[in-house]
């Protein structure tokens, strides 16, 4: 990897580094859920939903969590586990980055509104402080959606480079 003084190139590498870092986090978040059973089959997911309901969910999310999520907890737990793992894998490898980022953004917004409510009487700024664990990832996913996060250090970039080399070697 050679970094040039070209700001566009430096930004491309920085975005790729951020994409890979976020992907590693999501692989970590998802792997213990996929390869273990505590979260999916033994009440781990339900524990967290109930904890959110006890004091951290936005009021409009409480009926959704009680009326839809908890009755379908096992299925949704598997969706969360495999979703986190798939998002992480896609970001690390640089494949389907925009699709993974779209679903990651939706997931982070869902988590934000399910768990980051500071309370009705909280000052406006506390809403942002309470949401840091999810809003920062949401902003990363938004950047991956808008930018070309897969243009370097990705399977897509590797395939493009190999095609260019084959075309060059074949046309000599």
């Amino acid at each position: 990897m050679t970094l040039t003084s070209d700001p566009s190139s430096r930004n491309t590498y920085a975005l790729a580094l951020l994409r890979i870092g976020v992907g590693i986090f999501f692989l970590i978040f998802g792997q213990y859920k996929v390869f273990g059973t505590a979260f999916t089959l033994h009440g781990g997911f339900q524990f967290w939903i109930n904890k959110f309901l006890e004091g951290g969910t936005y009021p409009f999310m409480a009926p959704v969590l009680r009326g839809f999520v908890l009755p379908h907890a096992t299925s949704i737990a598997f969706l969360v586990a495999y979703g986190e793992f798939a998002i992480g894998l896609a970001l690390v490898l640089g494949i389907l980055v925009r699709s993974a980022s779209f679903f990651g953004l939706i997931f982070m917004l869902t988590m934000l509104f399910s768990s980051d409510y500071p309370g009705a009487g909280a000052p406006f700024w506390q809403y942002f402080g309470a949401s840091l664990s999810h809003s920062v990832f949401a902003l990363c996913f938004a950047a991956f959606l808008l930018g070309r996060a897969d243009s370097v250090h990705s399977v897509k970039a590797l395939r493009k480079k190999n095609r260019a080399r084959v075309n060059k070697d074949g046309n000599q």
Side-chain angles (χ1 to χ4, degrees):
M1 173 176 86
T2 305
L3 289 179
T4 66
S5 61
D6 175 30
S8 176
S9 176
R10 293 178 66 85
N11 288 343
T12 299
Y13 282 100
L15 193 58
L17 178 67
L18 183 61
R19 182 200 83 225
I20 293 166
V22 170
I24 290 169
F25 277 116
F26 271 76
L27 279 174
I28 293 167
F29 297 156
Q31 65 81 27
Y32 81 90
K33 295 170 185 158
V34 168
F35 298 115
T37 58
F39 183 81
T40 53
L41 296 175
H42 295 100
F45 178 75
Q46 293 90 327
F47 168 81
W48 284 105
I49 297 303
N50 284 313
K51 188 171 180 169
F52 298 160
L53 286 167
E54 287 173 11
T57 190
Y58 278 75
F60 67 88
M61 283 299 289
V64 174
L65 295 176
R66 279 192 194 95
F68 179 75
V69 174
L70 281 175
H72 302 97
T74 301
S75 300
I76 295 172
F78 276 100
L79 181 65
V80 167
Y82 283 90
E84 285 180 352
F85 193 77
I87 288 167
L89 197 58
L91 294 179
V92 168
L93 295 176
I95 54 174
L96 299 171
V97 170
R98 285 205 166 112
S99 297
S101 298
F102 173 78
F103 287 108
L105 178 60
I106 298 299
F107 181 56
M108 286 298 100
L109 292 175
T110 303
M111 290 296 296
L112 187 146
F113 292 123
S114 295
S115 64
D116 293 334
Y117 185 58
F124 185 66
W125 64 267
Q126 283 185 350
Y127 286 84
F128 296 102
S131 76
L132 284 177
S133 61
H134 298 110
S135 60
V136 171
F137 280 119
L139 289 171
C140 290
F141 287 126
F144 303 154
L145 274 169
L146 296 173
R148 292 186 176 147
D150 59 354
S151 61
V152 295
H153 298 313
S154 67
V155 170
K156 178 182 173 181
L158 185 61
R159 290 180 68 203
K160 184 177 178 181
K161 186 177 179 180
N162 285 339
R163 264 189 306 231
R165 188 174 68 230
V166 168
N167 289 339
K168 181 182 171 191
D169 292 343
N171 292 331
Q172 288 184 355

